[in-house]
């Protein structure tokens, strides 16, 4: 996948998630409901946390350090999600929304700074997968999954 294609996919996934959020009040964003006892705010914190994790690993690689975990299985994903939820559940809505936008902008800048060759070449620290797949799995697919989940939940609310 070329850089421009990845940027388009990232933009489209964020647009779909934003469309699912459109028009929600602050009260609706903090009320439990869309994912078990998680609020929409919690869901946005969750999405942002995975993007921060991706950016952290990219920063480590740039500094010549070993990245953290980049491949996850179901139980480890759930454990990480639970840990982040406990850590961030009391974060004020305004901060969550600001982080949601700012961290995604950092992801877009990171992709913009990579060449097509860097995105498409197999990467040792990703188990031989190309780097673009790291962005697709951690951001595009993830945001599409939660955007669809949120859109369906909202449809059943009315």
């Amino acid at each position: 996948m070329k850089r421009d294609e990845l940027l388009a996919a990232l933009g489209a996934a964020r647009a779909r998630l934003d469309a699912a959020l459109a028009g929600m009040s602050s009260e609706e964003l903090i009320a439990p409901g869309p994912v078990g006892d998680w609020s929409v705010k919690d869901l946005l914190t969750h999405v942002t946390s995975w993007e921060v994790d991706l950016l952290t690993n990219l920063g480590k690689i740039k500094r010549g350090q070993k990245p953290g975990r980049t491949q996850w299985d179901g139980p480890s994903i759930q454990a990480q999600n639970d840990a982040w939820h406990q850590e961030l559940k009391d974060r004020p809505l305004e901060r969550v929304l600001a982080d949601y936008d700012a961290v995604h902008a950092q992801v877009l800048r990171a992709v913009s700074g990579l060449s097509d060759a860097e995105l498409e070449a197999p990467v040792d620290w990703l188990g031989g997968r190309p780097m673009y797949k790291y962005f697709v799995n951690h951001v595009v697919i993830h945001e599409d999954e939660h955007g669809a989940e949120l859109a369906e939940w909202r449809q059943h609310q009315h």
Side-chain angles (χ1 to χ4, degrees), residues 36-52:
D37 63 343
W38 281 17
S39 65
V40 175
K41 179 189 91 153
D42 295 330
L43 188 67
L44 297 180
T45 299
H46 162 80
V47 166
T48 301
S49 294
W50 282 102
E51 290 186 2
V52 167

Side-chain angles (χ1 to χ4, degrees), residues 4-6 15 23 33 49 53 63 78 88 95 101 110 148 156:
D4 290 346
E5 294 170 313
L6 180 54
S49 294
D53 185 67
R63 292 187 300 277
Q78 191 56 53
L88 301 167
R95 292 294 309 269
D101 291 332
H156 293 328

